[in-house]
Amino acid sequence: MPRRFDVAELIDGVRGGDRVALARSITLVESRKPEHRKLARQMLRELAGSSGNSIRLGLSGVPGAGKSTFTDALGCRLIDQGHRVAVLAVDPSSSVSGGSVLGDRTRMGILSQSDDAFIRPSPTGLHLGGVARATREAMLLVEAAGYDVVIVETVGVGQSEVAVAGMVDTYLVLMLARSGDQLQGIKKGILELAHVIAVNKADGENAAEARVTARDLSIAMKLVSSQANERRVPVLTCSALEKSGLDEVWQAVLDHRVHLEKTYGLAKYRGAQQVSWMWSQTEAAVLDSLHGTREMRELAHRMEEAVDSGETSALDASSELLRVFAAQVPSLDWAQPD
Ligand SMILES: Nc1nc2c(ncn2[C@@H]2O[C@H](COP(=O)(O)OP(=O)(O)OP(=O)(O)O)[C@@H](O)[C@H]2O)c(=O)[nH]1
Ligand SMILES: [Mg+2]
C-alpha cells in the first residue's frame, strides 16, 4: 500500500464515485497516525457539504442471526429500486478474528458484485472507540460518494451496539425464534435501542415458532417502553434466505424515519448525536491524556499506593493528580483522541 495520501485527489475521486479513491479515503480515516489524522480531518471538512444524504440504518443481531444474508437480500432489493447501498461494520473483535464481514463476503455474494454496492469490513487493530470513530467517518465518505443507504452492521454483544445506535437514524435488530435470549437482551438494554425488530429465519418448520416469538417479543417490548404514548416498536418476521418479509421490514424502517421527522426532526436527532459524539471524543481524549505521560503514570502509581496504605487521603491524592495534570495540559497534543 502506498504511504502517501493526496487529499485533493481523494476528494475528487470520492465526489466522482471512484471506488478505489473511496476505499483509500477510508483507509486514511482508519489510520491513527497523527499526520494521517490531520489529512483525514481536512478531507472530511471539505466533504462535509456532500455528506448526510442517506438513510443510515444500524443492523445488529447475535452471531448467526442472519445479518449478512439479510444485508445481501435487502441490499439487492434496494439496488433494484434504484438505491446505492454501502455496508460498513463495527466489530471490535475483528482485529482478532480477521474481520467477519470480509470473511463472509460469500454471504453477501450477490451484493458484493454489484456496482451500486460498497462493502467495507470493520477496521482492524483499533479498540471500540477507534472503530466507532473510523466507521462514523467512513459513513460520511460513502455518503459523499453518492451512496444513499448506509447499513452499519454490528454483532449483538456488548458496547458496539450503543456506538452504532449513536451514529444511525434507525436501529434494526434481527432476532431468532426461541433463542431464549429475548428477555436477556431486554435486560442488557440492547432492545431498548431498537426501532424495528425482525425475527429472522421465519421459514420452513421454523415459521410458526418465529411468529410466536415475534408476538411474545412484541408484548415484552411494551414493558420496555418507558412512556405510554411512545411509538410502539414493530416486531416483524422475515426470512433472509427465502427473501420474504423484507419489504415489510424496509417499510418499517421508512415508517420510523417518518415518525422521527414528525416528532423530533431528523436534523435535530443527528445534531444531538453529534453533540454526544463531541463529548465522548473530548472526554476520551482527556482521559487518555490523564494516563498518557510517564510522569502521570508514575504519579498515579505512587498515589494509588499512598491511598491504599492510608498514608494519603483519596481527596488529597486526587488533588495532586489534577495539579500535575493541569501543569502538563499546555504541552499536550490533542490531535489524536483515540
Ligand atoms: N433458514 C434460514 N437460514 C438463514 C436465514 N438467514 C440466514 N440463514 C443462515 O444462517 C447462517 C448464518 O447467517 P449469516 O448471514 O452468516 O449470519 P450473521 O448474523 O451475519 O452471522 P455473523 O456474521 O457470524 O455474526 C447461514 O448458514 C445462513 O445461510 C433465513 O432467513 N432462514
Ligand atoms: Mg455476518
Side-chain angles (χ1 to χ4, degrees), residues 68-228:
S68 303
T69 312
F70 177 88
T71 301
D72 194 42
L74 178 70
C76 290
R77 206 162 269 235
L78 294 174
I79 286 170
D80 286 344
Q81 291 170 16
H83 290 290
R84 297 185 69 214
V85 179
V87 181
L88 307 173
V90 171
D91 178 7
S93 70
S94 68
S95 42
V96 185
S97 69
S100 67
V101 169
L102 185 65
D104 66 16
R105 268 229 172 117
T106 45
R107 298 254 158 73
M108 290 191 264
I110 309 171
L111 191 63
S112 64
Q113 282 165 31
S114 169
D115 285 341
D116 293 312
F118 183 86
I119 300 173
R120 178 82 177 189
S122 185
T124 53
L126 300 173
H127 56 74
L128 176 62
V131 174
R133 200 258 309 134
T135 306
R136 252 168 207 278
E137 295 178 353
M139 183 161 70
L140 301 175
L141 294 170
V142 297
E143 287 177 345
Y147 292 87
D148 65 339
V149 175
V150 184
I151 299 175
V152 184
E153 192 186 311
T154 189
V155 281
V157 282
Q159 283 299 304
S160 61
E161 311 189 279
V162 177
V164 171
M167 65 177 93
V168 298
D169 309 323
T170 302
Y171 196 75
L172 166 64
V173 178
L174 283 192
M175 302 285 293
L176 290 173
R178 297 272 164 212
S179 51
D181 63 358
Q182 292 98 317
L183 289 171
Q184 209 189 332
I186 290 166
K187 231 189 264 163
K188 275 194 257 160
I190 288 167
L191 292 179
E192 283 174 57
L193 301 171
H195 298 121
V196 180
I197 295 172
V199 181
N200 189 34
K201 307 198 185 183
D203 45 47
E205 289 176 349
N206 212 11
E209 199 144 36
R211 277 196 298 276
V212 173
T213 303
R215 197 199 55 206
D216 290 353
L217 264 171
S218 184
I219 293 165
M221 287 307 287
K222 274 183 224 153
L223 304 176
V224 172
S225 160
S226 51
Q227 290 163 27

Side-chain angles (χ1 to χ4, degrees), residues 6-24:
D6 182 332
V7 168
E9 207 177 289
L10 287 179
I11 290 172
D12 275 354
V14 167
R15 284 217 176 100
D18 172 24
R19 305 175 74 93
V20 176
L22 177 58
R24 197 155 158 69

Side-chain angles (χ1 to χ4, degrees), residues 170-171 194-197 221 225 227-234 252-253 255-257 259-260 263:
T170 302
Y171 196 75
H195 298 121
V196 180
I197 295 172
M221 287 307 287
S225 160
Q227 290 163 27
N229 61 351
E230 245 180 39
R231 167 184 169 274
R232 191 173 289 177
V233 173
V253 169
D255 289 348
H256 171 254
R257 281 176 80 74
H259 170 83
L260 189 59
T263 52

Side-chain angles (χ1 to χ4, degrees), residues 295 297-307:
E295 191 186 352
R297 281 194 297 272
E298 282 171 5
L299 178 66
H301 186 70
R302 281 204 307 281
M303 288 298 116
E304 280 179 11
E305 283 187 337
V307 172

